[in-house]
Amino acid sequence: MNVLLVYAHPEPKSLNGALKDFTVQRLQAAGHTVQVSDLYAMNWKAALDADDAPERDTNRPFDASRDSKLAYAQGTQAADIATEQEKLLWADALILQFPLWWFSMPAILKGWVERVYAYGFAYGVGEHSDSRWGERYGEGKMKGKRAMLMVTTGGWDSHYSTRGINGPIDDLLFPINHGILYYPGFDVVPPFVSYRTSRMDAAKFAATCEELGVRLDELWSTRPIAYRQQNAGDYEIPALTLKDEIAPGVEGFDAHTR
Ligand code: FAD
């Protein structure tokens, strides 16, 4: 299988750097082919702006969606964007690896998503009408591929439990798992999260690698998070609210998981 690891940490000698090296070695030892997009090493441009559509009509104001759509359709996107899209099409599985920074991904990785997820590539795909709202949430160009988050946190696991002060980790990661990965069609497996990293020492690192190794070995057999497909009958169209008879009484993020 082909695995794309998109890695966002500025320091190669960090914990994340060590976990990235472990991941690459483990996957390769199992016979997989791995490409790493090491965003800091690549000096990845994080800001989506007019330079991403270098041949756009400069007589019109820059429009992030419209110019993305045109550049993607016409094959005139910035070269770094097109290269990352090719890697995504090549991959059977995508891993996004990052330290939790302010309860989300580092800005450089958010910028990778904003720029690489072009209109027509990751959104605006398929028929859009009153009876159909495109191919997304379980459908789209990434359908049939798997995705997983690899996250490290300073906070303890209890801080991220269902009654923990930081909020449940599944809720914090929902916008990434559901909104960024499931949206263009990935089957998303539960995240690998390493908590309380300030307490990392050789023994904890060995245990973390042991646990991570199993998750990598089982990447293709782990049951994905059972998000509800947009076009499988659970939602009213075009309102895109759950039908009254689906998960009655359940609201918020939980309602969108079967
Ligand atoms: P490092 O700092 O590189 O290492 C962590 C520990 O692991 C160190 O003690 C180091 O000695 C040890 N270590 C490193 N490599 C190894 C190895 N190979 N073997 C054994 N031990 C090793 N945390 C939250 O919980 N929520 C937040 O919202 C949040 N926001 C943040 C925002 C910012 C801007 C920053 C800078 C940090 C934030 N943090 C937050 C903390 C952050 O998530 C952690 O610092 C990060 O996940 C640790 O990962 P690292 O790779 O940077 O670890």
Side-chain angles (χ1 to χ4, degrees), residues 218-241:
E218 296 177 350
L219 188 52
W220 278 273
S221 58
T222 300
R223 187 190 298 214
I225 302 170
Y227 292 131
R228 298 179 188 282
Q229 286 197 21
Q230 172 182 282
N231 296 319
D234 287 352
Y235 294 91
E236 303 281 4
I237 301 209
L240 291 176
T241 49

Side-chain angles (χ1 to χ4, degrees), residues 21 93 145 227:
D21 292 344
K145 301 174 186 288
Y227 292 131

Side-chain angles (χ1 to χ4, degrees), residues 11 29-30 39 45 50 64 77 107-108 133-134 139 151 157 164 201 240-241:
E11 172 51 59
L39 299 184
K45 170 182 174 286
Q77 302 176 106
I108 199 169
W133 199 279
E139 297 175 295
V151 184
D157 46 1
D201 56 17
L240 291 176
T241 49

Side-chain angles (χ1 to χ4, degrees), residues 4-242:
L4 174 61
L5 173 58
V6 181
Y7 163 75
H9 197 289
E11 172 51 59
K13 293 195 175 73
S14 63
L15 173 62
N16 269 274
L19 292 175
K20 184 256 294 171
D21 292 344
F22 171 83
T23 298
V24 171
Q25 286 161 15
R26 182 75 167 222
L27 290 168
Q28 287 177 339
H32 305 300
T33 306
V34 185
Q35 289 196 71
V36 178
S37 289
D38 181 342
L39 299 184
Y40 285 93
M42 292 158 68
N43 199 19
W44 178 259
K45 170 182 174 286
L48 189 169
D49 61 22
D51 290 342
D52 294 335
E55 295 182 32
R56 73 184 191 87
D57 177 0
T58 52
N59 294 315
R60 299 168 74 174
F62 172 63
D63 178 318
S65 287
R66 189 196 60 222
D67 286 313
S68 169
K69 180 181 184 178
L70 290 175
Y72 175 70
Q74 295 167 355
T76 56
Q77 302 176 106
D80 58 347
I81 294 177
T83 300
E84 295 304 299
Q85 289 169 351
E86 284 302 316
K87 292 181 192 171
L88 278 170
L89 294 174
W90 163 87
D92 300 301
L94 169 68
I95 297 174
L96 300 181
Q97 185 193 348
F98 55 93
L100 198 68
W101 280 2
W102 289 110
F103 301 96
S104 190
M105 51 174 63
I108 199 169
L109 180 53
K110 181 72 173 357
W112 180 90
V113 175
E114 289 177 13
R115 296 183 61 233
V116 175
Y117 271 33
Y119 189 128
F121 181 78
Y123 70 106
V125 175
E127 175 195 333
H128 283 71
S129 64
D130 273 356
S131 59
R132 201 169 165 81
W133 199 279
E135 292 167 13
R136 57 176 204 166
Y137 292 120
E139 297 175 295
K141 285 206 168 31
M142 300 301 130
K143 189 172 172 56
K145 301 174 186 288
R146 295 205 148 208
M148 183 176 89
L149 302 182
M150 264 174 70
V151 184
T152 59
T153 76
W156 303 11
D157 46 1
S158 60
H159 303 172
Y160 291 99
S161 65
T162 49
R163 284 167 61 81
I165 190 164
N166 288 350
I169 194 72
D170 287 340
D171 284 4
L172 293 171
L173 297 180
F174 183 90
I176 306 175
N177 276 331
H178 186 261
I180 291 175
L181 296 174
Y182 190 59
Y183 188 106
F186 284 106
D187 286 327
V188 185
V189 300
F192 178 81
V193 185
S194 177
Y195 297 99
R196 203 177 181 182
T197 49
S198 62
R199 290 297 178 92
M200 190 64 66
D201 56 17
K204 187 172 174 190
F205 183 73
T208 301
C209 289
E210 180 82 28
E211 207 185 318
L212 174 59
V214 172
R215 291 298 312 276
L216 295 170
D217 293 346
E218 296 177 350
L219 188 52
W220 278 273
S221 58
T222 300
R223 187 190 298 214
I225 302 170
Y227 292 131
R228 298 179 188 282
Q229 286 197 21
Q230 172 182 282
N231 296 319
D234 287 352
Y235 294 91
E236 303 281 4
I237 301 209
L240 291 176
T241 49
L242 281 169

